[in-house]
Amino acid sequence: MSVIPPVDLTEQFQTIQADVNAAVAEVLASGQYINGPIVETFERAFGEYVGTEHCVGCNSGTDALYLALRAFNIGPGDEVITSPFTFIATAEAISAVGATPVFVDIDLDTFNLDVAKVEAAVGDRTRAIMPVHLFGRPVDMGPVMDLAARHDLVVIEDCAQATGAEWMGQQVGRIGQVGCFSFFPTKNLGGCGDGGAITTNDAELAATARMLREHGSRVRYHHEAIGINSRLDSVQAAILAIKLRHLDSWNQRRTAVAERYDSLLTSVAEVVRPQAVTFGRSVWNQYTLRLTQATLEGQERNQVQQAMREAGVISMVYYPIPLHLQPVYQHLGYRPGDLPQAESAAHQVLSLPMFPELGEEQQMQVVQTLKTALAQVGLRAAQYC
Ligand SMILES: *Cc1c(COP(=O)(O)O)cnc(C)c1O
């Protein structure tokens, strides 16, 4: 039995192996491993891709969020509104600068922040909104930008899962004041290690982020702020520069994979397929279903996942616990039931294997395995035949 993993990076690597090996060898031979020309080249290329004047590479997507917040001087006493249904890094960065995350419920159909609910959460201390383009799906940014303008808030886009996604023909990461990207290997543009970047049209913000990523220093050994060490490695920049050239075609292949899943799943009544984007383009970092009959504890969903695993298909649960109910945020005082859509999502979601190279036969096997697992767990809806 061949196992179908949630993501497989090896096949893609083979297609660019010669280019990557040559580029890495060149960096290694150059002796310049931190910053240097290849990092600048990649920053320029990525800024051009996103459509911003500035791009600042850094060590991870988490650091990108941290640096963006710091560059806006957001810190203790400030609040930042974000989604509870995201990877911990989003809120962690807010906490790391000393500010407080304020979680607003999501829209269950899109898994993204329910913008209609944001206004009620805006208070005297609110400084920023941090929308997350989750699973590759762009947030509908129009209402976010309107609301931010009305309340004089900064918009920091968490684009970690959405490199290449578009809202109204614009790349994510150029709509708010700043975009934060991750180059973690499983992201749409992933390196062979950690990496991240921020994109912005604000020259001063970019310069401040550069200063902060370099120990608070613009001129070597002159320190004007407590910064961090968060640079993009030259080796990663060299690899990312090569992979960037393939990103659009890989994202197209992800879209084809998603469309195949859509058609294979049309007759499966127990699942809700991802909703189509009407105002832009998703880049399908994940293909995430909702098992709508799953119990509130998510037990049935977990049983389906387990049955699939036993049959050789590894699905993932992003994310089993929404951030407002994480132990680390207990002190914020949220209770179960406070953000019901995010809590339902956490109990219902199941992400199927998704990567550009996933073949049609593998997808048929995934869906057949899912159907069998659903039947085993007894979720088979009466109308399904
Ligand atoms: C991956 C991810 C991050 C963090 O990126 P790293 O490069 O892993 O630090 C932040 N936000 C979201 C939504 C992510 O998926």
Side-chain angles (χ1 to χ4, degrees):
M1 179 182 75
S2 67
V3 170
I4 303 181
V7 52
D8 182 351
L9 301 172
T10 57
E11 197 178 318
Q12 182 173 97
F13 178 69
Q14 281 165 21
T15 67
I16 54 169
Q17 187 166 13
D19 288 346
V20 169
N21 285 351
V24 169
E26 201 175 308
V27 173
L28 296 182
S30 77
Q32 185 136 31
Y33 305 142
I34 301 283
N35 293 337
I38 185 65
V39 173
E40 280 163 35
T41 302
F42 173 71
E43 285 179 339
R44 214 171 306 117
F46 192 68
E48 261 167 39
Y49 179 82
V50 172
T52 57
E53 274 166 48
H54 309 279
C55 168
V56 182
C58 63
N59 194 253
S60 68
T62 309
D63 281 3
L65 294 164
Y66 173 88
L67 289 167
L69 288 157
R70 282 285 310 275
F72 279 115
N73 209 16
I74 292 171
D78 295 332
E79 292 180 352
V80 178
I81 293 171
T82 193
S83 168
F85 194 61
T86 172
F87 182 53
I88 183 70
T90 311
E92 194 178 32
I94 297 168
S95 300
V97 301
T100 303
V102 172
F103 299 112
V104 168
D105 211 355
I106 60 163
D107 168 7
L108 198 49
D109 290 326
T110 65
F111 302 120
N112 283 334
L113 206 54
D114 184 345
V115 183
K117 296 200 176 111
V118 170
E119 189 128 34
V122 175
D124 293 344
R125 292 164 173 252
T126 312
R127 292 283 316 279
I129 307 176
M130 198 183 267
V132 182
H133 306 290
L134 200 74
F135 302 150
R137 188 184 209 285
V139 171
D140 188 5
M141 290 299 288
V144 176
M145 298 308 292
D146 286 349
L147 187 129
R150 264 188 284 121
H151 294 278
D152 199 19
L153 306 175
V154 163
V155 175
I156 300 171
E157 295 175 67
D158 183 340
C159 307
Q161 298 184 9
T163 311
E166 284 180 6
W167 172 80
M168 298 290 191
Q170 297 179 64
Q171 292 271 325
V172 300
R174 62 167 283 197
I175 303 155
Q177 278 79 5
V178 56
C180 300
F181 291 85
S182 167
F183 305 130
F184 184 81
T186 61
K187 305 295 163 98
N188 293 56
L189 176 63
C192 299
D194 278 311
I198 71 179
T199 53
T200 183
N201 284 318
D202 182 334
E204 202 182 313
L205 188 83
T208 306
R210 276 181 203 287
M211 176 271 286
L212 289 167
R213 77 168 178 183
E214 200 77 48
H215 302 287
S217 151
R218 288 176 217 263
V219 177
R220 192 174 284 188
Y221 306 127
H222 291 250
H223 305 281
E224 61 186 88
I226 297 296
I228 55 174
N229 173 1
S230 184
R231 292 162 302 214
L232 183 62
D233 287 343
S234 307
V235 164
Q236 297 307 334
I239 295 168
L240 289 165
I242 291 165
K243 294 182 89 172
L244 180 58
R245 300 199 286 266
H246 299 275
L247 178 62
D248 285 340
S249 76
W250 289 334
N251 280 341
Q252 277 162 18
R253 292 184 67 164
R254 285 178 183 273
T255 304
V257 171
E259 284 167 357
R260 283 201 299 263
Y261 271 140
D262 274 348
S263 62
L264 289 167
L265 286 162
T266 40
S267 63
V268 184
E270 302 93 323
V271 302
V272 176
R273 287 171 282 138
Q275 201 186 59
V277 183
T278 53
F279 47 75
R281 185 176 71 186
S282 171
V283 287
W284 298 104
N285 186 251
Q286 298 297 335
Y287 185 90
T288 303
L289 302 171
R290 284 194 293 124
L291 274 52
T292 45
Q293 296 177 28
T295 61
L296 263 190
E297 289 71 37
Q299 282 161 1
E300 286 168 342
R301 185 271 319 276
N302 293 349
Q303 286 165 15
V304 170
Q305 187 188 25
Q306 179 60 25
M308 289 177 74
R309 179 181 299 128
E310 281 159 17
V313 174
I314 318 293
S315 61
M316 299 296 284
V317 174
Y318 305 112
Y319 296 92
I321 306 172
L323 299 187
H324 67 291
L325 299 180
Q326 291 284 353
V328 70
Y329 284 127
Q330 215 169 9
H331 64 282
L332 296 180
Y334 291 95
R335 314 283 313 161
D338 283 352
L339 303 174
Q341 305 294 305
E343 291 164 37
S344 295
H347 295 136
Q348 294 178 354
V349 285
L350 195 66
S351 296
L352 301 184
M354 166 54 84
F355 47 96
E357 295 74 25
L358 192 65
E360 187 166 4
E361 268 177 37
Q362 288 175 301
Q363 289 190 261
M364 285 163 63
Q365 190 184 330
V366 170
V367 171
Q368 191 48 54
T369 306
L370 172 66
K371 285 182 184 172
T372 308
L374 287 165
Q376 271 172 14
V377 176
L379 284 179
R380 190 180 282 261
Q383 65 267 44
Y384 173 64
C385 50

